[in-house]
Amino acid sequence: MKKLLVALTSALLICTSTASAGELADTIKRDYDDYLADLWDHFHRNPELSLVEFKTAERMANELREAGFSVTEEVGGTGVVAMLENGSGPLVMMRADMDGLPVMEKSGLPNSSKAEQEDPITGNVVPVMHACGHDVHITSLVGTARQMAARKDEWSGTLMLVVQPAEERVLGARAMRDDNIWERFGQPDYALAFHVGAGRPAGKIDAPEGAAYAGADTVDIIVHGVGAHGASPHRGKDPILIASQIVVALQSLVSRELAPHAPGVVTVGSFHSGTKHNIISDRAHLQLTVRNTNDQTRKILLQGIERIAVNVGRMAGLPEDKLPEVIVSEESVPPTINDVQLARRLKIAWSEAMGDDALYEIPPEGMGAEDFPFFTVDPDITSVYWGIGGTPQADLDAEKAGGPAVASHHSPLFKIAPEPSVRAGVESTVVALLELMGD
Ligand SMILES: [Zn+2]
Ligand SMILES: [Zn+2]
């Protein structure tokens, strides 16, 4: 009898825990149908450019206030900070970026954007589109706010929701730090964020144990030549030839100086020189993007660029005071590095709550950068940045079978399946928050 009771009790316990995991998913599904679907539709139709996300910020502030948070607007420009204090415990920050891009939407979605806006930097009126899925991020943040406010008896601590401007210009996170976000609202014990991803299975979670995004540097190389008639090259120093040799020599950095398993990129994205067929110019200008996943790689690449540029100048016989100038911009973005222990802990929590097949692993390919690390370095804050797939499996299968390619981020054809993405966005965030602040 006693044995039977024990068996019954443990069966009951198992039932309860499964039911509560399912309960969260069911509640989020209902909230998606009743509320979040329309909210995503609104954000998708009404994207705004980086730095001028005025209406988006206002709507987000109202949504978070209505959910029961104490909301401060205009933090670092259009940024919004929403706080929910709920007893003692850790301070956990969750960030969602909210900006759209100057792209004309051709996704074919029924709620395609027709928005236009004046670009605050160029002054041109341009079409605007949520071509990176940030509409999924902010919609999910509202869903998370609604869940966490309704579940205050399941956690204790302080929740900080951050609506960040201008991620696409890598300016917003720094602007919020410069506006003293930590000093005003408290420095988080943990910082979290996610990005929805086209080309990855909708609703599935991927959390790298290491670099989630690369660090990026912007480098300019100015090659000073000596101008001459195109028919008398011996009278000048041709900066186009020197700069071309620099471009070729730079290719040896990644192939010969980085360890084969150390990722890095040196891309010369722009090469400008000259005005006319028969004139040897006196200047060439190269613009580079340089990517790394750690300080050591960054150092090897930046020092190597300087060394190659200057010495190719010497090779061409330029005098010491006219050697190529290498200018590394101060606008450097550190890599987004996940805390390994926390990433493992959250992956266990996600697979327990959402099922083992909620997680997937995909080897990283590109070296995209994010400005999230401005929140997590100096001072260091334990953080995890995860990915949520946004493309239906059927579309991925069709692409594999030779069908239409899945459009990439920033493409006019970009599209995300909102329901699985937003639901997984909310559920993974709530599960992570309850893991960190749960009773
Ligand atoms: Zn983007
Ligand atoms: Zn993005």
Side-chain angles (χ1 to χ4, degrees), residues 101 132 134 167-168 410:
L101 286 155
C132 202
H134 299 183
E167 187 281 328
E168 296 289 359
H410 297 200

Side-chain angles (χ1 to χ4, degrees), residues 48-54 76-78 99 120-121 165-166 169 171-172 175:
E48 293 178 289
L49 292 173
S50 305
L51 302 171
V52 285
E53 310 94 334
F54 300 115
T78 54
D99 49 336
I121 293 180
R169 289 189 182 271
L171 292 171

Side-chain angles (χ1 to χ4, degrees), residues 97 132-134 137 167-168 195-196 213 370 385 409-410:
D97 44 5
C132 202
H134 299 183
H137 304 170
E167 187 281 328
E168 296 289 359
H195 207 300
V196 70
Y213 284 93
E370 238 293 341
Y385 192 116
H409 286 247
H410 297 200

Side-chain angles (χ1 to χ4, degrees), residues 116-144:
E116 288 190 333
Q117 203 174 13
E118 185 180 312
D119 187 309
I121 293 180
T122 63
N124 299 331
V125 174
V126 292
V128 192
M129 172 185 176
H130 266 300
C132 202
H134 299 183
D135 47 351
V136 168
H137 304 170
I138 48 181
T139 306
S140 300
L141 196 73
V142 172
T144 293

